[in-house]
Amino acid sequence: MAVGEAPWGLDAPLRGLGALASATDVAPGTEPSAIGLPPDDGALAVVVRDAERDPWQRAVLRALRDRRPDLVIVDMGLAPARPLPDDAPATLFTRGAGLANATAAAEYLSGRTWRGPLRT
């Protein structure tokens, strides 16, 4: 039985691979226009969990895509209930938010390979 909060996201694995330029946590309900984005000269991965089931996350993704059409979405939730529309941005589904899932996604996005144990 799982109890309590579990950390999730890509910042730790990307940092461990030397591939993280910056990370921003966004509190639920934040107005999309208030979310700062990195300069256009760097890659942008937006990490969400089960965005299809959350209207706020979907609204944020639409707004961020309007500002940065090159963004890549990493959804660390369960598989979507329906196929993505043809005009959906590039999306990587990890099928879970565990450390192994996050590390595999970070390796894929960065083109680098994790060396050593996942936890120290």
Side-chain angles (χ1 to χ4, degrees):
M1 172 183 224
V3 177
E5 295 286 321
W8 66 278
L10 295 184
D11 49 333
L14 285 172
R15 188 176 298 110
L17 289 167
L20 180 69
S22 66
T24 302
D25 287 330
V26 179
T30 300
E31 191 61 38
S33 61
I35 299 171
L37 295 178
D40 287 351
D41 61 349
L44 175 61
V46 179
V47 182
V48 296
R49 189 162 53 185
D50 292 323
E52 179 183 293
R53 295 168 177 84
D54 184 338
W56 173 77
Q57 286 187 63
R58 289 193 312 271
V60 167
L61 290 173
R62 277 192 303 274
L64 294 181
R65 185 174 176 209
D66 287 345
R67 293 167 56 194
R68 286 287 302 271
D70 62 327
L71 70 82
V72 173
I73 297 170
V74 180
D75 193 326
M76 299 189 77
L78 303 174
R82 56 187 175 263
L84 295 175
D86 290 340
D87 64 343
T91 304
L92 173 63
F93 292 98
T94 64
R95 306 293 200 260
L99 181 58
N101 307 66
T103 302
E107 287 180 327
Y108 181 80
L109 292 171
S110 69
R112 299 176 184 180
T113 304
W114 189 270
R115 304 283 183 215
L118 291 180
R119 293 209 166 119
T120 55

